[in-house]
């Protein structure tokens, strides 16, 4: 048996792979559909899967197309792997149960390797043993983490912990985490990786203005840096550059300090030549550093009683809290 990213991703698309959260399913389905639709062969495979999700031949063709795309695009491979919480490399004859690997006749749980029984009774006994072993391992880790550090000291150290690329993506909120009613316009995704893991997401509000439009958006860009010094430098650079999606001049905006450092600015997009109607209005840009994480949030356009400074602050505070929580879980 071969378990790989393409097979699992197509399984999520067709509903054959279960056990994933709503946000994960939405993100994976969007990524898979976009990538299959990018080529004529992929479009044909997608049409066959849509017409007959249970057809094995249709699924295999979609998997083959997606597998080629994964080989050709490492960034796409990494993003899909992060959403599915899998290794981006293929795993031959391996079944993943959370972080437990079953390979051939052996089961590996960290440093512990157990031989898989051949009988049903033996398998049931082994499953019970695995639960006990996992519980003991977790208990041991918690005990070790608590020894030698006071609560304040341990919490302070955690807040400055460097996050992995996967943690940077998982740190971003989903629509159910946001105050108000939102839809995902750009799912959480790794967007670049140099010194800091750059992960971003964008959401659109379902609030309507007086004309019946819904143009309010919040865009998050986060940078999970290797240490506090790099994050501090990055925060200063972002603040000095004052760059925003509309390429407008920013003006300092008074606000509460969030995280370890923060700065807020505002700008406007006027009703002028070349300005899209959906972009006209007032915007807030909030930048902050929380430990090793730098956050940049663009919020707007606020107009016709849709969008407010209070909501913008809630959305930025939420992101700062999630950054702090992600570092504290280490």
């Amino acid at each position: 048996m071969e378990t790989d990213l393409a097979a699992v991703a197509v399984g999520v698309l067709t509903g054959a792979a279960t056990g994933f959260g709503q946000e994960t399913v939405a993100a994976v389905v969007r990524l898979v559909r976009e990538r299959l639709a990018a080529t004529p062969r992929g479009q044909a495979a997608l049409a066959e899967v849509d017409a007959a999700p249970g057809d094995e031949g249709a699924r295999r063709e979609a998997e083959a197309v997606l597998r080629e795309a994964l080989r050709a695009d490492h960034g796409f491979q990494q993003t899909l792997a992060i959403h599915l919480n899998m290794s981006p490399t293929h795993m031959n004859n391996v079944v993943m149960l959370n972080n437990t690997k079953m390979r051939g006749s052996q089961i590996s749980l960290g440093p512990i390797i157990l031989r898989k029984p051949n009988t049903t009774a033996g398998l049931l006994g082994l499953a019970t043993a695995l639960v006990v072993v996992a519980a003991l391992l977790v208990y041991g880790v918690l005990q070790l983490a608590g020894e030698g550090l006071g609560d304040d000291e341990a919490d302070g150290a955690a807040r400055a912990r460097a996050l992995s690329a996967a943690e940077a993506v998982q740190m971003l909120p989903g629509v159910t985490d946001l105050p108000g009613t939102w839809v995902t316009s750009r799912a959480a995704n790794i967007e670049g990786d140099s010194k800091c893991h750059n992960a971003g997401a964008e959401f659109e509000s379902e609030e309507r203005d007086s004309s019946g439009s819904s143009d309010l958006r919040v865009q998050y860009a986060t940078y999970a840096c290797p240490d506090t010094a790099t994050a501090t430098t990055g925060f200063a650079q972002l603040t000095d550059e004052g760059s925003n999606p509309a390429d407008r001049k920013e003006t300092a905006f008074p606000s509460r300090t969030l995280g370890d450092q923060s700065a807020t600015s505002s700008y406007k997009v006027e009703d002028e030549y070349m300005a899209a109607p959906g972009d006209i209005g007032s915007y807030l840009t909030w930048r902050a550093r929380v430990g090793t994480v730098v956050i940049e949030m663009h919020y707007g356009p606020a107009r016709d009683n849709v969008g407010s400074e209070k909501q913008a602050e809630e959305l930025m505070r939420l992101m700062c809290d999630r950054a702090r929580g992600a570092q504290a879980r280490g």
Side-chain angles (χ1 to χ4, degrees):
M1 180 179 110
E2 180 180 289
T3 301
D4 60 25
L5 284 174
V8 176
V10 171
V12 171
L13 174 67
T14 61
T18 60
F20 296 99
Q22 181 180 357
E23 285 295 312
T24 295
V25 170
V28 170
V29 167
R30 181 187 64 81
L31 287 168
V32 172
R33 295 188 74 87
E34 286 179 355
R35 191 51 62 110
L36 290 177
T39 65
R41 182 187 174 191
Q43 292 169 9
L46 183 58
E48 291 180 6
V49 166
D50 285 342
D55 184 84
E56 185 176 350
R59 287 202 308 269
R60 284 182 178 175
E61 174 63 7
E63 289 170 12
V65 176
L66 191 63
R67 198 169 289 118
E68 289 181 4
L70 288 166
R71 292 194 194 103
D73 188 340
H74 179 72
F76 174 57
Q77 182 186 83
Q78 183 183 30
T79 297
L80 195 59
I82 287 171
H83 281 301
L84 292 171
N85 194 25
M86 291 174 61
S87 166
T89 57
H90 290 190
M91 298 175 294
N92 295 318
N93 200 28
V94 176
V95 177
M96 293 295 296
L97 301 175
N98 291 330
N99 291 323
T100 302
K101 292 182 180 179
M102 300 178 66
R103 184 184 300 273
S105 62
Q106 290 186 339
I107 298 178
S108 173
L109 182 62
I112 301 174
I113 298 176
L114 303 175
R115 186 162 296 279
K116 187 167 62 178
N118 295 320
T119 65
T120 301
L123 284 170
L124 290 173
L126 178 58
T128 303
L130 282 172
V131 172
V132 174
V133 171
L136 289 172
L137 286 174
V138 171
Y139 176 77
V141 168
L142 292 175
Q143 289 294 101
L144 288 172
E147 290 179 3
L149 282 178
D151 291 341
D152 293 339
E153 184 182 352
D155 188 49
R159 281 197 298 268
R161 184 177 68 88
L163 302 180
S164 66
E167 289 173 317
V169 170
Q170 292 163 2
M171 173 180 62
L172 289 158
V175 290
T176 56
D177 301 311
L178 304 178
T181 307
W182 301 79
V183 294
T184 302
S185 54
R186 180 163 51 84
N189 192 17
I190 285 288
E191 299 180 337
D193 193 359
S194 52
K195 286 185 178 179
C196 305
H197 302 301
N198 175 205
E202 183 176 286
F203 306 92
E204 295 179 0
S205 174
E206 293 195 315
E207 286 188 78
R208 304 285 171 175
D209 61 19
S210 58
S211 67
S213 299
S214 177
D215 299 316
L216 180 65
R217 302 178 294 275
V218 60
Q219 175 182 316
Y220 290 114
T222 62
Y223 304 86
C225 299
D227 50 54
T228 302
T230 304
T232 301
T233 301
F235 169 76
Q237 289 176 344
L238 282 178
T239 304
D240 291 342
E241 289 171 2
S243 177
N244 55 73
D247 196 25
R248 296 302 196 273
K249 180 176 175 58
E250 297 181 8
T251 303
F253 187 89
S255 63
R256 292 185 180 89
T257 299
L258 298 179
D260 300 313
Q261 297 173 275
S262 68
T264 313
S265 59
S266 64
Y267 62 92
K268 285 187 177 181
V269 175
E270 306 287 351
D271 186 3
E272 57 192 22
Y273 179 67
M274 294 299 288
D279 293 336
I280 295 170
S282 300
Y283 293 77
L284 282 176
T285 297
W286 215 307
R287 301 176 178 95
R289 180 184 66 81
V290 181
T292 60
V293 174
V294 179
I295 304 161
E296 183 172 59
M297 184 191 81
H298 300 285
Y299 172 90
R303 60 173 188 267
D304 293 341
N305 298 318
V306 176
S308 67
E309 298 165 15
K310 179 181 179 183
Q311 186 181 50
E313 181 177 329
E314 288 178 355
L315 289 166
M316 187 60 179
R317 187 183 299 278
L318 167 72
M319 191 65 247
C320 289
D321 289 345
R322 292 179 70 86
R324 184 174 291 107
Q327 293 175 75
R329 284 192 292 272

